[in-house]
Every structure is written in C-alpha cells, then in structure tokens.
Amino acid sequence: MYEQFWRLSFIVFAAALPLSAAHAIIRQARRRTGGAHDPAWLVWFRRLANLVIAAGFAALTATIIARWNEAGYPPFSNMPESLMWMAWGLCAVYFVARCFVDFSGLEAGACVGVLAVLAVSGLFDHAPRPLMPALQSNWLIFHVLTCMISYGAFFAAFLMALLWLAFWRRRESGKVVDALSYHTMAFGFLLLTVGIISGSVWARQAWGRYWGWDPKETWSLITWFVYGIYLHYRLLGGSRGPRQERLPMLNALFAVLGFAVTLFTYFGVSYLLPSLHSYS
Amino acid sequence: MSTPAEQAEPKAASPLSRALKLLRSVRFAIVLMALIAAACIVGTLVKQEPYDPAKAIAHYGRALGLLVGLLGLHQLYHTWWFIALLGLFALSTTVCALSRRRLRLHTVGSSVVHLSVLFIVAGAIVRGAVGVEGVVTITEGQTVEEFDTDQGKLPLGLRVRLDDFRVTRRADKAEVIVFLPGEERGRVYPAAVGKPVTIRPDGTTLEVLQYLPHFMMDGSRVYSASDEPVNPAIQVKLSGPGGESKRWLFARFPDVHSRGASENDPILRYQQPVRTFESHLTVLDPSGAELRRAVVLVNSPLRVGRYTLYQLSYDQQTEQSSTLEVVYDPGVPIVFIGFLLMPLGIAYVFYIQPILRRRTVGHV
C-alpha cells in the first residue's frame, strides 16, 4: 500500500499544481486590470485548489501510516522516510500560513515544494531496512519529526522568498510578506532548536556524550547560527540596522541562504562528509 | 529613575562599561555568531586528526598545510581561540540577559534564551575541567577494575565482569550489498533464495541459490551443521553477457570471496543486519562480592559508581569481547537545564511575548 499511496500523493499534488497556478495567474491578471475583489467563481476556484491540496495532504498522511505499518518500525530512519516527513511538514506549514495570509501563488508554491520533495525522494531506494541498534530509541521519532518539520518550514520560507523575488516584490504589500516569512523562519528556528537538543539528549543516552562535533551536528549548529543571525539582525534598529522597507529583501536573502545551508546539512553532510549520521 | 552613577556613564565611560556595552550589543553578537559558524565550517572541511606536517602539506599544499598546524585547524574544536570564541559568546549572551534593569513579563523571554547559553557552556566547562572519558574492552569471563583514558589507566572504583556477550541478527532481513566497479556506495538487495535481481544495465543478474545458517565443509561437500545462525552463508550466482559465476558469501567473514575473478566483477557482501548487541555484566565490589547484574545495550547505559558505561562496539570476528565507553560528566545536569530553558525561552519570545505586549499596549 505504501507505494500506491506514495504515487497517489504525487498525482494529487501534480493535479493541484495547474489548478493553483491557473488561479494565481487569473487573479494576478484581474488585479493588474483593476479588479480589487475576487468574484465568487474565483473564490470557489481557489477553494477547489485547496480541496485538492487537502486531499494530497491526506494521501501523504496515508503514505506515512502505510509505511509505518509495512516497515514494522517508525519510519524516521532514512532519506526517503525523512523526505516524506519534510513534504508533510511543508504542507502543514502551508495550511497554517494560509489561515493568516492571502497571497496569489501561495497554493502553487506549496504544490511545487511538495512535488520537489517527492521527486527528490523518488531518487532514493525506498526498500525498508531494519533499524540499526543506535536508532532503536524513542528519541528517533521526536528528533526526526522536529528536524524535518523545521526543514519544511525553512523550505516554505525559501519558496516564499522566490515568489516574493519573482512576483510579489512589486505588486503586493511588502509588510505582510515580511511578517509571514519572519514567522515561518522563527517557527523553523524553534523546531530546529528542539531538534538539535533532542538529538543531543539522545546522543548522551546512546554514545555517552551530548555533543561530539560530528559533521551533521556541526552543520546543524551552523544552520542554527545562520537563522540566529537573521533573527538578531532584524532587531537592529535605527541607522545601524536594516531600514523597514528593506526588511522583505533581507528576509528573502536569509531565507535563500538559510535554506542552502539547511540543504547542505541534510544532504551534503550525508554524502560528502564522513559522519556518524551517514544513514540519514 | 536612574542612579547618579548611570547618569555619569556617558560622560566618562570606563573601559569596563565600554566592554559591557560592546558585549551586550546585537552587532557584536552577530559578528561572534558569524565567526563561530565560519570556524565550524572550516572544522568540517579539515579532517580532525592528530597533526602530521608532511601529510598536511601533501594534502593541502605547503602554505595551507602549515596554516592548518599553526592555527590548530586539525583539532579546531579544542583550540584556545575557538574555545575563547565560545566563551565570549556565552559572556555576551549573559551580559545581554543581565543588562535589563527591570525584568518584565513581556521581555523576559530573550533573557531566558540568553541565560540558557550560559548554562550549556558552563556545563561544558565542568565536563572539560573534571569530566573523565575512556574506554574498556572486556572479553567474556574477564573481570576489569580499570579503564583506558588519554591520560593512562584509571580505576573504576568497582569491578565489572562480562558474563556473556550476545549479538542478535535479523536473518529474515538478510541482504546482499553490491558494489559495482568504480562505485563507492553499494546497492542493497534482499538476500531471498530463488529471486534473481538485475544489478547492471547490461542485464547482469544476481540470484541467491541457497542459504546455510551454519556453514560447514567436509572435503568438497557443503552442508549446514545446525539450524542456528552460527556461520550464516549464501551461495550466489552472477549471470550476464560475460557468462556465469558462483560464489559463497559469509555474513561473519564479509571479505571472503567478496571479489570476483576479474576486476570488472562487482564486489559482493552478505550481511544479516544486527538487531542488538548486548553486554551481560556483573558489578562486584572491590572484595569480589556481587552487587548487581545488568545488561548494557546501545541506548541503555549502566551506572557503575560515579561512572556510566555505554555500549560502544564489539569484536566482530569473535563476537566475544565488548568495548564500553566509560564516562563521568557532572556537567550534564547544568547543560540539560540550558537545554530546557532554551526552547521554552524561544517559544515564549515568539508566541507569548507578542500577546503580553499587545495587552500592555492595549492598557496604555
């Protein structure tokens, strides 16, 4: 069932993408010609796109449950499994963000993000492998879940940055984009903190030390510092800090830089640097 | 109301107050974080190992190789300058946390986050100052009373005997790992008898012909001495455009027959994934009286006196001797207080403070 649900998730999100993209294009075209309010049919069109995305989210959840059931262990132990959680986290962050803001293209961005994660996941071997002794711990679920949802949030902020750079920069209010992007990265930062700390407590239980400067640990700390610098830089006021109108650009730059570092922590360390985390 | 001393501060700023001003400035914190992050990046790119000038020069070139030795980049996380950076970071966050003259409910979050860094660094300093870390290898039946550290042997305080060492495997999840020529990462296939799989684009297939849990050889006759997985082995057949070949692969001896006759043949390894490895120990007092029996597994350590024993590794050939990590770290509770405060503080800053601030502003 896992493979069927995985394929179904991909198909549903692939169906949601043209709907969402069409909605964004129509809405933008109407805005450009002076249509400030959406007509009822466009609102319903958007609801339909969101319904399909919700169906995709349900399919992703079913994929996770099927995997858990078939593998016989909590599915948090290798690349395709963690990517599954990242896609799920990204989609969850989208739904939360969607409650607070109203931007054209947000749905399309979420679909592109989930499809990209699923496509990358397709490159890996999905065969379940038994958990090695170090991973047989209750900390596995908590550690991977918090890390992957934080990665999902950083990916969402990255997609928002791209959308802002490409479309929203000139057309929609910079302040709201700024707030949304800031909250997404702040949420990711909190979860990354919890993820690193839970990994640290787990490492103490498994290996006797809470920190060992293993490349994965070190790069997660570097990621934490990058977002930490961003959150502090926003605090700088007056002439020394960023001017209010430049904040959205600052957000976009850090969202891109932060996500690049996140990607290296996630993939680069596993494949380029020798690490105790080489299984993930 | 500010005190007279505070009023005088801007006129005659003493070196101390200037230092404090610098330490609590956000800019300084940003520069420190960027420096630590940059140092960490270097630390993951330069191999962390004892310095060998000839090797470093051969690997990085003359100038860079000497720089690695000069700045201690080969053991970067233990160099004085990196530790000083971390110390400065902890100092900066502490000064920042304590510099608020009045603690208010809607601003206390950042102080909590900043103080948590102090706890984490303080715990690490305690570990560095009085902590002990070492290893001990025990063979079945052997009793040990000391362990090895970088500073030589240290007494455990109590005696520890390894009664039994057990490795359990997942025979039902056995797998063959195929390394094609020129590839460093192997591909994993289930070791299921009678189910050929294609392992190369040219159509080469791999098939497991038979599985023997307890491989024995009597002349040219091959058989299984029992149903217990004492010496698990599989016979595999490779069929491709170049012809057919058969080999025996052994889970306990992965290098035997792993290579084929030609360089172009894939390297094959047979393995039964390890489910658990566990040390069955008896703790004895110095006179030899038995105090308790316990099992140490990965993720399930054992406290022996002031030390904690962690299951680290084992002798994979004999599977009769266990290596345990021995740790004494009184800094852990301090670090864990920091670990608790940090996420609570961050969550407070992002999700509680805005609500409190809105209420305060509302009242005004």
Side-chain angles (χ1 to χ4, degrees):
Chain A
M1 287 301 277
Y2 163 71
E3 273 185 32
Q4 283 90 330
F5 275 125
W6 191 91
R7 277 198 206 115
L8 180 69
S9 310
F10 197 90
I11 292 167
V12 175
F13 277 104
L17 178 61
L19 277 178
S20 314
H23 167 266
I25 291 165
I26 295 168
R27 196 174 190 229
Q28 278 303 313
R30 284 184 54 82
R31 289 279 153 97
R32 224 173 293 151
T33 52
H37 296 288
D38 295 342
W41 64 269
L42 196 58
V43 173
W44 277 103
F45 192 40
R46 182 176 220 174
R47 280 184 191 152
L48 176 68
N50 272 293
L51 201 68
V52 180
I53 295 175
F57 187 62
L60 263 182
T61 311
T63 310
I64 290 171
I65 294 169
R67 175 69 171 198
W68 203 318
N69 189 34
E70 283 168 28
Y73 61 81
F76 296 88
S77 74
N78 54 31
M79 223 24 126
E81 287 167 0
S82 62
L83 281 165
M84 199 165 68
W85 284 106
M86 187 175 171
W88 192 87
L90 177 68
C91 205
V93 168
Y94 157 73
F95 279 119
V96 175
R98 182 71 190 73
C99 295
F100 293 100
V101 289
D102 171 29
F103 288 125
S104 335
L106 205 61
E107 286 87 355
C111 293
V112 168
V114 172
L115 285 171
V117 175
L118 289 177
V120 171
S121 150
L123 301 174
F124 294 95
D125 179 7
H126 284 235
R129 299 183 68 187
L131 292 183
M132 54 189 281
L135 295 183
Q136 293 166 16
S137 164
N138 290 333
W139 283 106
L140 175 72
I141 298 176
F142 191 70
H143 173 60
V144 178
L145 196 59
T146 46
C147 288
M148 293 326 297
I149 295 179
S150 84
Y151 290 2
F154 293 147
F155 190 25
F158 168 77
L159 288 169
M160 270 182 249
L162 293 190
L163 283 169
W164 184 80
L165 288 168
F167 306 111
W168 297 339
R169 204 166 152 190
R170 278 156 282 147
R171 292 184 196 129
E172 298 201 38
S173 160
K175 256 190 170 175
V176 188
V177 178
D178 172 56
L180 177 64
S181 182
Y182 166 74
H183 284 301
T184 309
M185 282 193 265
F187 176 68
F189 183 73
L190 170 64
L191 281 189
L192 179 67
T193 309
V194 177
I196 293 174
I197 287 176
S198 61
S200 195
V201 174
W202 181 12
R204 157 83 186 160
Q205 194 188 52
W207 301 317
R209 89 285 185 292
Y210 51 83
W211 194 263
W213 297 109
D214 171 74
K216 194 85 164 183
E217 293 171 1
T218 310
W219 272 94
S220 69
L221 185 68
I222 294 164
T223 312
W224 190 81
F225 273 126
V226 169
Y227 287 102
I229 288 171
Y230 160 71
L231 294 170
H232 279 85
Y233 190 60
R234 280 182 65 101
L235 291 176
L236 279 177
S239 57
R240 294 171 307 154
R243 272 179 280 157
Q244 285 299 309
E245 65 271 20
R246 288 202 184 150
L247 277 180
M249 180 55 97
L250 178 79
N251 270 323
L253 291 180
F254 268 96
V256 172
L257 172 70
F259 188 62
V261 177
T262 307
L263 276 184
F264 191 81
T265 307
Y266 190 17
F267 297 109
V269 175
S270 300
Y271 292 96
L272 300 175
L273 301 172
S275 161
L276 277 173
H277 278 79
S278 52
Y279 43 77
S280 58
Chain B
M1 281 290 284
S2 54
T3 62
E6 282 164 0
Q7 282 167 356
E9 199 180 65
K11 286 178 192 166
S14 67
L16 180 68
S17 68
R18 264 185 294 172
L20 287 178
K21 197 178 168 195
L22 178 73
L23 281 171
R24 70 166 181 256
S25 86
V26 177
R27 280 201 143 185
F28 186 66
I30 289 175
V31 170
L32 270 182
M33 285 194 275
L35 282 176
I36 295 171
C40 286
I41 293 175
V42 174
T44 58
L45 298 179
V46 177
K47 198 170 181 192
Q48 301 295 296
E49 59 184 5
Y51 185 59
D52 177 353
K55 211 172 145 190
I57 289 169
H59 196 264
Y60 302 107
R62 188 170 171 75
L64 262 182
L66 289 175
L67 192 72
V68 166
L70 196 68
L71 294 178
L73 303 182
H74 58 291
Q75 277 176 342
L76 187 142
Y77 308 112
H78 305 285
T79 55
W80 65 268
W81 59 267
F82 186 73
I83 292 169
L85 270 180
L86 292 181
L88 215 51
F89 181 60
L91 196 64
S92 156
T93 53
T94 310
V95 171
C96 188
L98 301 178
S99 64
R100 290 184 193 280
R101 292 196 176 91
R102 275 204 296 163
L103 281 180
R104 291 186 180 137
L105 265 184
H106 64 272
T107 56
V108 75
S110 73
S111 296
V112 172
V113 178
H114 289 139
L115 272 182
S116 71
V117 175
L118 175 70
F119 275 102
I120 294 168
V121 172
I125 291 171
V126 171
R127 181 193 179 106
V130 294
V132 179
E133 209 179 288
V135 290
V136 62
T137 299
I138 324 176
T139 309
E140 280 178 342
Q142 189 191 1
T143 304
V144 293
E145 45 197 343
E146 46 187 24
F147 62 100
D148 298 310
T149 69
D150 290 344
Q151 284 79 42
K153 285 190 183 299
L154 282 178
L156 267 170
L158 296 167
R159 298 165 76 185
V160 174
R161 186 177 67 218
L162 179 66
D163 298 321
D164 190 15
F165 184 75
R166 288 182 205 163
V167 181
T168 50
R169 291 197 162 74
R170 296 288 305 256
D172 56 326
K173 300 281 181 188
E175 48 199 26
V176 183
I177 307 173
V178 179
F179 297 84
L180 296 177
E183 282 187 10
E184 274 189 24
R185 277 191 169 245
R187 284 159 209 241
V188 181
Y189 300 94
V193 177
K195 289 182 183 166
V197 284
T198 307
I199 58 165
R200 267 185 165 163
D202 66 5
T204 304
T205 58
L206 171 82
E207 183 182 356
V208 179
L209 298 175
Q210 55 177 318
Y211 162 65
L212 300 181
H214 189 167
F215 179 93
M216 289 292 265
M217 209 165 173
D218 180 7
S220 60
R221 191 175 75 93
V222 167
Y223 65 100
S224 187
S226 72
D227 289 337
E228 295 302 310
V230 177
N231 183 17
I234 52 170
Q235 188 186 29
V236 294
K237 182 174 81 174
L238 279 171
S239 320
E244 269 185 24
S245 65
K246 291 178 185 172
R247 331 178 193 171
W248 277 98
L249 303 172
F250 302 88
R252 295 277 290 273
F253 309 97
D255 291 331
V256 175
H257 300 163
S258 64
R259 288 173 190 278
S262 113
E263 282 290 301
N264 199 31
D265 282 343
I267 297 173
L268 305 176
R269 282 178 200 280
Y270 169 52
Q271 70 175 29
Q272 292 187 339
V274 172
R275 189 204 297 267
T276 58
F277 48 99
E278 50 194 54
S279 300
H280 293 247
L281 302 173
T282 301
V283 183
L284 312 148
D285 73 8
S287 68
E290 189 176 316
L291 293 177
R292 59 189 284 215
R293 286 171 182 238
V295 182
V296 177
L297 295 105
V298 184
N299 280 311
S300 176
L302 170 71
R303 189 78 184 258
V304 174
R306 74 198 287 230
Y307 296 107
T308 310
L309 306 182
Y310 297 86
Q311 181 66 63
L312 192 65
S313 59
Y314 61 96
D315 184 335
Q316 298 195 6
Q317 292 294 321
T318 66
E319 294 190 354
Q320 285 173 355
S321 83
S322 170
T323 301
L324 303 167
E325 174 125 19
V326 184
V327 179
Y328 168 62
D329 184 359
V332 166
I334 307 170
V335 172
F336 281 16
I337 291 174
F339 280 178
L340 193 67
L341 289 179
M342 186 178 276
L344 287 179
I346 294 175
Y348 191 86
V349 168
F350 290 142
Y351 303 109
I352 310 284
Q353 275 182 199
I355 299 171
L356 295 174
R357 204 168 290 149
R358 234 173 283 148
R359 275 194 195 158
T360 316
V361 171
H363 281 300
V364 171

Coordinates of all heavy atoms in Angstrom, one line a residue, chain A residues 60-104:
Chain A
L60 N -0.7 11.9 1.7 CA 0.7 11.9 2.3 C 0.6 11.3 3.7 O 1.5 10.4 4.0 CB 1.2 13.3 2.5 CG 2.1 13.9 1.4 CD1 2.6 15.3 1.8 CD2 3.4 13.0 1.3
T61 N -0.4 11.6 4.4 CA -0.6 11.1 5.8 C -0.8 9.6 5.7 O -0.2 8.8 6.5 CB -1.8 11.7 6.5 OG1 -1.6 13.1 6.4 CG2 -1.9 11.4 8.0
A62 N -1.6 9.2 4.7 CA -1.9 7.7 4.5 C -0.6 7.0 4.1 O -0.3 5.9 4.5 CB -2.9 7.5 3.4
T63 N 0.3 7.7 3.3 CA 1.6 7.1 2.9 C 2.4 6.8 4.1 O 3.0 5.7 4.3 CB 2.3 8.1 2.0 OG1 1.5 8.6 1.0 CG2 3.6 7.5 1.4
I64 N 2.4 7.8 5.1 CA 3.2 7.6 6.3 C 2.7 6.4 7.1 O 3.5 5.6 7.6 CB 3.2 8.9 7.1 CG1 4.0 10.0 6.4 CG2 3.7 8.7 8.5 CD1 3.9 11.4 6.9
I65 N 1.4 6.4 7.3 CA 0.8 5.3 8.1 C 1.1 4.0 7.4 O 1.4 3.0 8.1 CB -0.8 5.5 8.2 CG1 -1.0 6.8 9.0 CG2 -1.4 4.4 8.9 CD1 -2.4 7.3 9.0
A66 N 0.9 3.9 6.1 CA 1.2 2.6 5.4 C 2.6 2.2 5.6 O 2.9 1.0 5.8 CB 0.8 2.8 3.9
R67 N 3.5 3.2 5.5 CA 5.0 2.8 5.6 C 5.2 2.3 7.0 O 6.0 1.3 7.2 CB 5.8 4.1 5.3 CG 7.3 4.0 5.6 CD 7.9 3.1 4.6 NE 9.3 3.1 4.6 CZ 10.1 2.7 3.7 NH1 9.6 2.2 2.6 NH2 11.4 2.7 3.8
W68 N 4.7 3.0 8.0 CA 4.9 2.6 9.4 C 4.4 1.2 9.6 O 5.1 0.4 10.2 CB 4.1 3.6 10.3 CG 4.6 3.7 11.7 CD1 5.0 2.7 12.5 CD2 4.7 4.9 12.5 NE1 5.4 3.2 13.7 CE2 5.2 4.5 13.7 CE3 4.4 6.2 12.2 CZ2 5.4 5.5 14.7 CZ3 4.6 7.2 13.2 CH2 5.2 6.8 14.5
N69 N 3.3 0.9 9.0 CA 2.6 -0.4 9.2 C 3.5 -1.5 8.5 O 3.7 -2.6 9.0 CB 1.2 -0.3 8.6 CG 0.4 -1.6 8.9 OD1 0.6 -2.2 9.9 ND2 -0.4 -2.0 8.0
E70 N 3.9 -1.2 7.2 CA 4.6 -2.2 6.4 C 6.1 -2.4 6.9 O 6.6 -3.6 6.9 CB 4.6 -1.8 4.9 CG 3.2 -2.1 4.3 CD 3.1 -1.5 3.0 OE1 4.1 -1.3 2.3 OE2 1.9 -1.1 2.6
A71 N 6.7 -1.3 7.3 CA 8.2 -1.5 7.6 C 8.3 -2.1 9.0 O 9.3 -2.8 9.2 CB 8.8 -0.1 7.6
G72 N 7.3 -2.0 9.8 CA 7.4 -2.6 11.2 C 8.3 -1.8 12.1 O 8.7 -2.2 13.2
Y73 N 8.6 -0.6 11.8 CA 9.3 0.3 12.6 C 8.9 1.8 12.3 O 8.4 2.0 11.3 CB 10.9 0.2 12.5 CG 11.4 0.5 11.1 CD1 11.6 1.8 10.7 CD2 11.6 -0.5 10.2 CE1 12.1 2.1 9.4 CE2 12.1 -0.2 8.9 CZ 12.3 1.1 8.5 OH 12.7 1.4 7.2
P74 N 9.1 2.7 13.3 CA 8.7 4.1 13.0 C 9.5 4.6 11.8 O 10.7 4.5 11.8 CB 9.1 4.9 14.2 CG 9.2 3.8 15.3 CD 9.7 2.6 14.6
P75 N 8.8 5.1 10.7 CA 9.5 5.5 9.5 C 10.3 6.8 9.6 O 9.8 7.8 9.1 CB 8.4 5.6 8.5 CG 7.2 5.9 9.3 CD 7.4 5.4 10.6
F76 N 11.4 6.8 10.3 CA 12.1 8.0 10.5 C 13.6 7.8 10.3 O 14.4 8.5 10.8 CB 11.9 8.5 12.0 CG 10.6 8.9 12.3 CD1 9.7 8.0 12.8 CD2 10.1 10.3 12.2 CE1 8.4 8.4 13.1 CE2 8.9 10.6 12.5 CZ 8.0 9.7 13.0
S77 N 13.9 6.7 9.6 CA 15.3 6.3 9.7 C 16.2 6.5 8.4 O 17.4 6.4 8.5 CB 15.4 4.8 10.0 OG 15.1 4.0 8.9
N78 N 15.6 6.8 7.3 CA 16.4 7.0 6.1 C 15.9 8.2 5.2 O 14.9 8.8 5.6 CB 16.6 5.7 5.3 CG 15.3 5.1 4.9 OD1 14.3 5.9 4.7 ND2 15.2 3.8 4.8
M79 N 16.6 8.4 4.1 CA 16.3 9.6 3.3 C 14.9 9.7 2.8 O 14.2 10.6 3.1 CB 17.3 9.6 2.2 CG 18.0 10.9 1.8 SD 18.1 12.2 3.0 CE 19.8 12.5 2.9
P80 N 14.4 8.6 2.1 CA 13.0 8.7 1.6 C 12.0 8.9 2.8 O 11.0 9.6 2.6 CB 12.8 7.4 0.9 CG 13.9 6.5 1.1 CD 15.0 7.4 1.7
E81 N 12.3 8.3 3.9 CA 11.3 8.4 5.0 C 11.4 9.8 5.6 O 10.3 10.4 5.9 CB 11.6 7.4 6.1 CG 11.3 6.0 5.7 CD 11.8 4.9 6.6 OE1 12.5 5.2 7.6 OE2 11.6 3.7 6.3
S82 N 12.6 10.4 5.7 CA 12.6 11.7 6.3 C 12.1 12.7 5.3 O 11.4 13.7 5.7 CB 14.0 12.1 6.7 OG 14.9 12.1 5.6
L83 N 12.3 12.5 4.0 CA 11.7 13.4 3.0 C 10.2 13.4 3.0 O 9.6 14.4 2.8 CB 12.2 13.0 1.6 CG 13.7 13.5 1.3 CD1 14.2 12.8 0.1 CD2 13.7 15.0 1.0
M84 N 9.6 12.2 3.3 CA 8.2 12.1 3.4 C 7.7 13.0 4.5 O 6.7 13.7 4.3 CB 7.9 10.6 3.8 CG 6.6 10.1 3.6 SD 6.7 8.3 3.7 CE 7.1 8.0 5.4
W85 N 8.4 13.1 5.6 CA 8.0 13.9 6.7 C 8.2 15.4 6.4 O 7.5 16.3 6.8 CB 8.8 13.6 8.0 CG 8.3 12.4 8.7 CD1 8.9 11.1 8.7 CD2 7.1 12.2 9.4 NE1 8.1 10.3 9.4 CE2 7.0 10.9 9.8 CE3 6.0 13.1 9.7 CZ2 5.9 10.4 10.5 CZ3 4.9 12.7 10.4 CH2 4.9 11.3 10.8
M86 N 9.3 15.7 5.5 CA 9.5 17.0 5.1 C 8.4 17.6 4.3 O 7.9 18.7 4.5 CB 10.8 17.1 4.4 CG 11.3 18.6 4.1 SD 12.9 18.5 3.3 CE 13.0 20.2 2.8
A87 N 7.9 16.7 3.3 CA 6.8 17.1 2.5 C 5.6 17.3 3.3 O 4.8 18.3 3.2 CB 6.5 16.0 1.5
W88 N 5.4 16.4 4.3 CA 4.2 16.6 5.2 C 4.3 17.9 6.0 O 3.3 18.6 6.1 CB 4.2 15.3 6.1 CG 2.9 15.2 6.9 CD1 1.8 14.5 6.5 CD2 2.7 15.7 8.2 NE1 0.8 14.6 7.5 CE2 1.3 15.3 8.6 CE3 3.4 16.4 9.2 CZ2 0.8 15.6 9.8 CZ3 2.8 16.7 10.4 CH2 1.5 16.3 10.7
G89 N 5.5 18.1 6.5 CA 5.7 19.3 7.3 C 5.5 20.6 6.5 O 4.9 21.6 7.0
L90 N 6.0 20.6 5.3 CA 5.8 21.7 4.4 C 4.4 22.0 4.1 O 3.9 23.2 4.2 CB 6.6 21.4 3.1 CG 6.4 22.5 2.0 CD1 7.2 23.7 2.4 CD2 7.0 21.9 0.7
C91 N 3.6 20.9 3.9 CA 2.2 21.1 3.6 C 1.5 21.6 4.9 O 0.6 22.5 4.8 CB 1.6 19.7 3.2 SG 0.2 19.8 2.2
A92 N 1.9 21.1 6.0 CA 1.2 21.6 7.3 C 1.5 23.0 7.5 O 0.6 23.8 7.9 CB 1.8 20.7 8.5
V93 N 2.8 23.5 7.3 CA 3.2 24.9 7.4 C 2.3 25.7 6.4 O 1.9 26.8 6.8 CB 4.7 25.1 7.2 CG1 5.0 26.6 7.0 CG2 5.5 24.5 8.3
Y94 N 2.1 25.2 5.2 CA 1.3 25.9 4.2 C -0.1 26.2 4.8 O -0.6 27.3 4.7 CB 1.2 25.2 2.9 CG 0.0 25.6 2.1 CD1 0.0 26.8 1.5 CD2 -1.1 24.8 2.0 CE1 -1.2 27.2 0.8 CE2 -2.3 25.2 1.4 CZ -2.3 26.4 0.7 OH -3.4 26.8 0.1
F95 N -0.7 25.1 5.3 CA -2.1 25.3 5.8 C -2.2 26.3 7.0 O -3.1 27.1 7.0 CB -2.7 23.9 6.3 CG -3.2 23.1 5.1 CD1 -2.6 21.9 4.9 CD2 -4.2 23.6 4.3 CE1 -3.1 21.1 3.8 CE2 -4.6 22.8 3.2 CZ -4.1 21.6 3.0
V96 N -1.2 26.3 7.8 CA -1.2 27.3 8.9 C -1.0 28.7 8.4 O -1.7 29.6 8.7 CB 0.0 26.9 10.0 CG1 0.0 28.0 11.0 CG2 -0.3 25.6 10.6
A97 N 0.0 28.8 7.4 CA 0.2 30.1 6.8 C -1.0 30.6 6.1 O -1.4 31.8 6.2 CB 1.4 30.1 5.9
R98 N -1.7 29.7 5.4 CA -2.9 30.0 4.6 C -4.0 30.6 5.5 O -4.8 31.4 5.0 CB -3.4 28.7 4.0 CG -4.5 28.8 3.0 CD -4.2 29.6 1.8 NE -5.4 29.9 1.0 CZ -6.2 30.8 1.3 NH1 -6.1 31.5 2.4 NH2 -7.3 31.0 0.5
C99 N -4.0 30.3 6.8 CA -5.0 30.8 7.7 C -4.8 32.3 8.0 O -5.7 33.0 8.3 CB -5.0 30.1 9.0 SG -5.5 28.4 8.9
F100 N -3.5 32.7 7.8 CA -3.2 34.1 8.3 C -3.1 35.1 7.1 O -3.2 36.2 7.3 CB -1.9 34.1 9.1 CG -2.1 33.4 10.4 CD1 -1.6 32.1 10.6 CD2 -2.7 34.0 11.5 CE1 -1.8 31.4 11.8 CE2 -2.9 33.4 12.7 CZ -2.4 32.1 12.8
V101 N -2.7 34.6 5.9 CA -2.4 35.5 4.8 C -3.2 35.0 3.6 O -3.6 33.9 3.4 CB -0.9 35.6 4.5 CG1 -0.2 36.3 5.6 CG2 -0.3 34.3 4.2
D102 N -3.2 36.0 2.6 CA -4.0 35.7 1.4 C -3.1 36.2 0.2 O -3.1 37.4 -0.1 CB -5.3 36.5 1.5 CG -6.0 36.5 0.2 OD1 -5.8 35.5 -0.6 OD2 -6.8 37.4 -0.1
F103 N -2.3 35.3 -0.3 CA -1.5 35.7 -1.5 C -1.8 34.9 -2.7 O -2.0 33.6 -2.5 CB 0.0 35.5 -1.1 CG 0.5 36.5 -0.2 CD1 1.2 36.1 1.0 CD2 0.4 37.9 -0.4 CE1 1.6 37.0 1.9 CE2 0.9 38.8 0.5 CZ 1.5 38.4 1.6
S104 N -1.7 35.5 -3.8 CA -1.9 34.7 -5.0 C -0.6 33.8 -5.1 O 0.5 34.3 -4.8 CB -1.9 35.5 -6.3 OG -2.4 36.8 -6.0

